[in-house]
Amino acid sequence: MMAENENNLDIARFEVNQSGRILSGNKRFCRMFGFSESEVVWHYITDCYRYHGDWEMFSSCENLSQTKFIFRMRNRKGRSFKCCLSREIVQDADGKITFRNTVSRLGEPVLAKEQAPAEETRSVVFLSKCAHCGEHVRVNTLTETRMRVLCDNCAAKAYPEAFNLAAAQV
């Protein structure tokens, strides 16, 4: 069964055997196709294909290198949508074939593991107002904006012994 990211809500995953019986499906898959998690194992994936010939093309294992397919799928209400299925073929010791699949509607964002890591170039600056003079003061975190903050000039006037430690130690 699916162990990693089994109930990740961003990626719809399901397993199906060679005859089309759904073995498992995560929450995202159930929501996408209108199943409840408890009833998903009682259904066949062939009911989710808009065109019956698509299952035949998907389940034929002649071209093992083909891992991505574009199909028209439908949910239990009969609404159809275009999907991209990515399959992984797993064969156990007895020779039984299981398809581990991820499915995403076309137009949805690309799966997180397939995205190139984007470099973050933006920097965030948090500003607060000085409690004495009202001048803008740069702070390190958003929570510091709610604190009573003094600018350097007001802090030097109000607390000279703490602000000028080098002069106070002499």
Side-chain angles (χ1 to χ4, degrees), residues 61-78:
C61 295
E62 294 169 6
N63 186 2
L64 296 175
S65 64
Q66 186 175 1
T67 59
K68 294 196 183 268
F69 300 87
I70 305 293
F71 293 124
R72 193 110 184 125
M73 305 289 282
R74 66 177 175 192
N75 62 15
R76 288 180 76 181
K77 293 181 180 179

mmCIF file of all heavy atoms in Angstrom, residues 61-78:
data_model
loop_
_atom_site.group_PDB
_atom_site.id
_atom_site.type_symbol
_atom_site.label_atom_id
_atom_site.label_comp_id
_atom_site.label_asym_id
_atom_site.label_seq_id
_atom_site.Cartn_x
_atom_site.Cartn_y
_atom_site.Cartn_z
ATOM 1 N N CYS A 61 1.174 -3.132 -20.515
ATOM 2 C CA CYS A 61 2.524 -2.942 -19.982
ATOM 3 C C CYS A 61 3.592 -3.131 -21.044
ATOM 4 O O CYS A 61 4.740 -3.412 -20.722
ATOM 5 C CB CYS A 61 2.755 -3.897 -18.819
ATOM 6 S SG CYS A 61 1.703 -3.570 -17.431
ATOM 7 N N GLU A 62 3.232 -3.016 -22.310
ATOM 8 C CA GLU A 62 4.206 -3.230 -23.370
ATOM 9 C C GLU A 62 5.290 -2.157 -23.365
ATOM 10 O O GLU A 62 6.450 -2.452 -23.541
ATOM 11 C CB GLU A 62 3.493 -3.257 -24.730
ATOM 12 C CG GLU A 62 2.565 -4.442 -24.867
ATOM 13 C CD GLU A 62 1.666 -4.319 -26.077
ATOM 14 O OE1 GLU A 62 1.837 -3.371 -26.875
ATOM 15 O OE2 GLU A 62 0.793 -5.176 -26.229
ATOM 16 N N ASN A 63 4.915 -0.912 -23.169
ATOM 17 C CA ASN A 63 5.887 0.169 -23.151
ATOM 18 C C ASN A 63 6.067 0.636 -21.708
ATOM 19 O O ASN A 63 5.380 1.523 -21.232
ATOM 20 C CB ASN A 63 5.415 1.326 -24.038
ATOM 21 C CG ASN A 63 6.455 2.414 -24.163
ATOM 22 O OD1 ASN A 63 7.557 2.305 -23.622
ATOM 23 N ND2 ASN A 63 6.109 3.460 -24.869
ATOM 24 N N LEU A 64 6.988 0.018 -20.986
ATOM 25 C CA LEU A 64 7.208 0.327 -19.584
ATOM 26 C C LEU A 64 7.843 1.694 -19.375
ATOM 27 O O LEU A 64 7.783 2.246 -18.282
ATOM 28 C CB LEU A 64 8.061 -0.748 -18.929
ATOM 29 C CG LEU A 64 7.453 -2.140 -18.877
ATOM 30 C CD1 LEU A 64 8.451 -3.124 -18.302
ATOM 31 C CD2 LEU A 64 6.177 -2.131 -18.073
ATOM 32 N N SER A 65 8.460 2.240 -20.411
ATOM 33 C CA SER A 65 9.119 3.534 -20.259
ATOM 34 C C SER A 65 8.119 4.682 -20.220
ATOM 35 O O SER A 65 8.441 5.766 -19.737
ATOM 36 C CB SER A 65 10.124 3.752 -21.381
ATOM 37 O OG SER A 65 9.451 3.807 -22.626
ATOM 38 N N GLN A 66 6.916 4.467 -20.720
ATOM 39 C CA GLN A 66 5.920 5.527 -20.698
ATOM 40 C C GLN A 66 5.309 5.595 -19.305
ATOM 41 O O GLN A 66 4.691 4.641 -18.839
ATOM 42 C CB GLN A 66 4.829 5.284 -21.744
ATOM 43 C CG GLN A 66 3.867 6.437 -21.841
ATOM 44 C CD GLN A 66 2.863 6.254 -22.972
ATOM 45 O OE1 GLN A 66 2.873 5.251 -23.668
ATOM 46 N NE2 GLN A 66 2.014 7.239 -23.139
ATOM 47 N N THR A 67 5.501 6.725 -18.642
ATOM 48 C CA THR A 67 5.004 6.872 -17.274
ATOM 49 C C THR A 67 3.918 7.929 -17.149
ATOM 50 O O THR A 67 3.217 7.949 -16.157
ATOM 51 C CB THR A 67 6.149 7.241 -16.317
ATOM 52 O OG1 THR A 67 6.744 8.458 -16.752
ATOM 53 C CG2 THR A 67 7.195 6.138 -16.269
ATOM 54 N N LYS A 68 3.770 8.799 -18.124
ATOM 55 C CA LYS A 68 2.766 9.854 -18.047
ATOM 56 C C LYS A 68 1.749 9.695 -19.160
ATOM 57 O O LYS A 68 2.088 9.421 -20.300
ATOM 58 C CB LYS A 68 3.415 11.228 -18.141
ATOM 59 C CG LYS A 68 4.288 11.541 -16.958
ATOM 60 C CD LYS A 68 4.576 13.017 -16.891
ATOM 61 C CE LYS A 68 5.503 13.294 -15.755
ATOM 62 N NZ LYS A 68 4.868 13.608 -14.550
ATOM 63 N N PHE A 69 0.481 9.897 -18.763
ATOM 64 C CA PHE A 69 -0.621 9.769 -19.701
ATOM 65 C C PHE A 69 -1.570 10.946 -19.500
ATOM 66 O O PHE A 69 -1.763 11.396 -18.374
ATOM 67 C CB PHE A 69 -1.407 8.472 -19.454
ATOM 68 C CG PHE A 69 -0.589 7.226 -19.593
ATOM 69 C CD1 PHE A 69 0.124 6.724 -18.514
ATOM 70 C CD2 PHE A 69 -0.543 6.552 -20.797
ATOM 71 C CE1 PHE A 69 0.875 5.572 -18.635
ATOM 72 C CE2 PHE A 69 0.198 5.398 -20.922
ATOM 73 C CZ PHE A 69 0.914 4.909 -19.840
ATOM 74 N N ILE A 70 -2.178 11.397 -20.584
ATOM 75 C CA ILE A 70 -3.209 12.432 -20.508
ATOM 76 C C ILE A 70 -4.525 11.762 -20.888
ATOM 77 O O ILE A 70 -4.656 11.206 -21.982
ATOM 78 C CB ILE A 70 -2.921 13.611 -21.477
ATOM 79 C CG1 ILE A 70 -1.543 14.190 -21.230
ATOM 80 C CG2 ILE A 70 -4.012 14.657 -21.371
ATOM 81 C CD1 ILE A 70 -1.368 14.892 -19.913
ATOM 82 N N PHE A 71 -5.495 11.802 -19.961
ATOM 83 C CA PHE A 71 -6.794 11.174 -20.183
ATOM 84 C C PHE A 71 -7.904 12.131 -19.791
ATOM 85 O O PHE A 71 -7.699 13.075 -19.030
ATOM 86 C CB PHE A 71 -6.964 9.908 -19.326
ATOM 87 C CG PHE A 71 -6.062 8.781 -19.706
ATOM 88 C CD1 PHE A 71 -5.211 8.218 -18.774
ATOM 89 C CD2 PHE A 71 -6.070 8.263 -20.984
ATOM 90 C CE1 PHE A 71 -4.394 7.169 -19.099
ATOM 91 C CE2 PHE A 71 -5.239 7.210 -21.321
ATOM 92 C CZ PHE A 71 -4.406 6.668 -20.382
ATOM 93 N N ARG A 72 -9.068 11.833 -20.266
ATOM 94 C CA ARG A 72 -10.284 12.506 -19.828
ATOM 95 C C ARG A 72 -10.889 11.595 -18.761
ATOM 96 O O ARG A 72 -11.249 10.463 -19.028
ATOM 97 C CB ARG A 72 -11.244 12.683 -20.995
ATOM 98 C CG ARG A 72 -12.332 13.616 -20.692
ATOM 99 C CD ARG A 72 -12.127 14.903 -21.506
ATOM 100 N NE ARG A 72 -13.153 15.841 -21.125
ATOM 101 C CZ ARG A 72 -12.880 17.057 -20.696
ATOM 102 N NH1 ARG A 72 -11.651 17.475 -20.645
ATOM 103 N NH2 ARG A 72 -13.839 17.863 -20.356
ATOM 104 N N MET A 73 -10.964 12.083 -17.514
ATOM 105 C CA MET A 73 -11.515 11.308 -16.400
ATOM 106 C C MET A 73 -12.861 11.913 -16.012
ATOM 107 O O MET A 73 -13.202 13.011 -16.432
ATOM 108 C CB MET A 73 -10.561 11.347 -15.202
ATOM 109 C CG MET A 73 -9.138 10.903 -15.489
ATOM 110 S SD MET A 73 -8.947 9.167 -15.777
ATOM 111 C CE MET A 73 -9.011 8.535 -14.125
ATOM 112 N N ARG A 74 -13.602 11.178 -15.184
ATOM 113 C CA ARG A 74 -14.883 11.714 -14.698
ATOM 114 C C ARG A 74 -15.084 11.291 -13.252
ATOM 115 O O ARG A 74 -14.621 10.235 -12.817
ATOM 116 C CB ARG A 74 -16.031 11.244 -15.561
ATOM 117 C CG ARG A 74 -16.287 9.775 -15.499
ATOM 118 C CD ARG A 74 -17.485 9.382 -16.308
ATOM 119 N NE ARG A 74 -17.574 7.926 -16.287
ATOM 120 C CZ ARG A 74 -18.348 7.248 -17.055
ATOM 121 N NH1 ARG A 74 -19.110 7.854 -17.933
ATOM 122 N NH2 ARG A 74 -18.393 5.944 -16.970
ATOM 123 N N ASN A 75 -15.792 12.145 -12.522
ATOM 124 C CA ASN A 75 -16.094 11.816 -11.133
ATOM 125 C C ASN A 75 -17.420 11.064 -11.064
ATOM 126 O O ASN A 75 -18.048 10.795 -12.095
ATOM 127 C CB ASN A 75 -16.084 13.066 -10.258
ATOM 128 C CG ASN A 75 -17.126 14.087 -10.661
ATOM 129 O OD1 ASN A 75 -18.053 13.800 -11.409
ATOM 130 N ND2 ASN A 75 -16.958 15.305 -10.190
ATOM 131 N N ARG A 76 -17.852 10.751 -9.871
ATOM 132 C CA ARG A 76 -19.077 9.949 -9.709
ATOM 133 C C ARG A 76 -20.333 10.680 -10.168
ATOM 134 O O ARG A 76 -21.330 10.058 -10.493
ATOM 135 C CB ARG A 76 -19.235 9.539 -8.248
ATOM 136 C CG ARG A 76 -18.214 8.487 -7.872
ATOM 137 C CD ARG A 76 -18.351 8.072 -6.464
ATOM 138 N NE ARG A 76 -19.492 7.179 -6.320
ATOM 139 C CZ ARG A 76 -19.884 6.662 -5.167
ATOM 140 N NH1 ARG A 76 -19.211 6.939 -4.076
ATOM 141 N NH2 ARG A 76 -20.909 5.858 -5.101
ATOM 142 N N LYS A 77 -20.278 11.997 -10.206
ATOM 143 C CA LYS A 77 -21.430 12.775 -10.669
ATOM 144 C C LYS A 77 -21.487 12.852 -12.187
ATOM 145 O O LYS A 77 -22.429 13.390 -12.738
ATOM 146 C CB LYS A 77 -21.387 14.185 -10.091
ATOM 147 C CG LYS A 77 -21.588 14.219 -8.600
ATOM 148 C CD LYS A 77 -21.555 15.632 -8.097
ATOM 149 C CE LYS A 77 -21.751 15.658 -6.597
ATOM 150 N NZ LYS A 77 -21.695 17.025 -6.062
ATOM 151 N N GLY A 78 -20.468 12.332 -12.861
ATOM 152 C CA GLY A 78 -20.445 12.323 -14.317
ATOM 153 C C GLY A 78 -19.723 13.506 -14.932
ATOM 154 O O GLY A 78 -19.641 13.604 -16.153
#
